[in-house]
Amino acid sequence: GADIFEAHLEEADWGSHIIGEEKSGDFYSAVHYYRRLKVWYTQKGYYDIAAKFYYREKEANRKALKLRSKHWNDRLAAEFMRALFGYGERWWNVLFWIVGVIFGLAAAYYFGGSFSAHSFWDTLYYSATSFTALGYAQWAPQPTGWAKGMGAAEAIIGVFMMALLLVTFVRKWTR
């Protein structure tokens, strides 16, 4: 029984790590099987494969949530977790969002005309230092209007996202 099951799992080539139940739309069963596969691979020390099944479990759960939940906030939270940090498995997603926020807000500052700065690099500097909450040292472009508040909000967002990047990165690479 169990030895045959284990022998087949150790030799399995999972490819995309997507099982038939998820492909056919039976997300409830898929969540159950992914969880069991994740646990088995974790117990055997195959942490990279277990992580892939953890991600697939969360994806199947998100898809099931779309079908069963009438609450838009549950579905939105699942989509947010997937996009922002890949359920804790995709640190590069966080890095992509960090770069996007810094450059996006720098562009908004530049084109929004809320600075004494005359170059994009000045607003990029302001955005990066706001995001990292490092401070502006001796020189910084002087924001006016909405950019003052956005700089403070960007610092809060930045601290959160840097912590998220660190946690996600360390979680992935300490297995």
Side-chain angles (χ1 to χ4, degrees), residues 96-108:
F96 171 79
W97 281 101
I98 287 172
V99 170
V101 166
I102 291 172
F103 275 89
L105 286 174

Side-chain angles (χ1 to χ4, degrees), residues 120-136:
F120 178 75
W121 298 111
D122 291 342
T123 58
L124 183 62
Y125 171 79
Y126 180 79
S127 182
T129 53
S130 292
F131 187 89
T132 56
L134 292 175
Y136 306 109

Side-chain angles (χ1 to χ4, degrees), residues 125 135-142:
Y125 171 79
Y136 306 109
Q138 295 296 323
W139 175 88
Q142 296 301 311

Side-chain angles (χ1 to χ4, degrees), residues 76-95:
L76 185 62
E79 291 292 342
F80 179 74
M81 288 187 293
R82 174 181 176 240
L84 183 59
F85 57 96
Y87 311 111
E89 290 297 320
R90 301 207 168 149
W91 61 268
W92 58 87
N93 281 19
V94 181
L95 194 58

Side-chain angles (χ1 to χ4, degrees), residues 5 14 34 39 61-62 64 69 71-72 77 91 93-94 96 109 112 114 121-122 133 139 141 157:
F5 176 74
W14 288 104
Y34 285 138
V39 168
N61 193 45
R62 180 186 61 83
S69 179
H71 302 287
W72 63 269
W91 61 268
N93 281 19
V94 181
F96 171 79
Y109 296 144
S114 294
W121 298 111
D122 291 342
W139 175 88
I157 292 166

Side-chain angles (χ1 to χ4, degrees), residues 15 18 22 26 39 51 65 76 83 85 88 111 115 135 138 153 162 170:
I18 300 175
E22 184 178 357
D26 184 6
V39 168
L65 191 62
L76 185 62
F85 57 96
F111 294 114
F115 275 89
Q138 295 296 323
M162 295 299 280
V170 167

Side-chain angles (χ1 to χ4, degrees), residues 22-93:
E22 184 178 357
K23 288 181 181 178
S24 67
D26 184 6
F27 303 120
Y28 301 108
S29 295
V31 168
H32 172 73
Y33 291 133
Y34 285 138
R35 188 173 297 129
R36 289 186 63 198
L37 287 164
K38 173 192 69 177
V39 168
W40 188 89
Y41 278 106
T42 300
Q43 289 172 346
K44 296 298 179 183
Y46 297 106
Y47 301 112
D48 288 341
I49 297 172
K52 290 180 176 153
F53 285 120
Y54 170 76
Y55 185 85
R56 294 305 328 156
E57 174 191 347
K58 293 299 183 184
E59 275 292 277
N61 193 45
R62 180 186 61 83
K63 291 173 183 176
L65 191 62
K66 277 184 167 180
L67 296 176
R68 75 172 183 249
S69 179
K70 294 181 174 132
H71 302 287
W72 63 269
N73 55 342
D74 292 339
R75 294 190 308 265
L76 185 62
E79 291 292 342
F80 179 74
M81 288 187 293
R82 174 181 176 240
L84 183 59
F85 57 96
Y87 311 111
E89 290 297 320
R90 301 207 168 149
W91 61 268
W92 58 87
N93 281 19

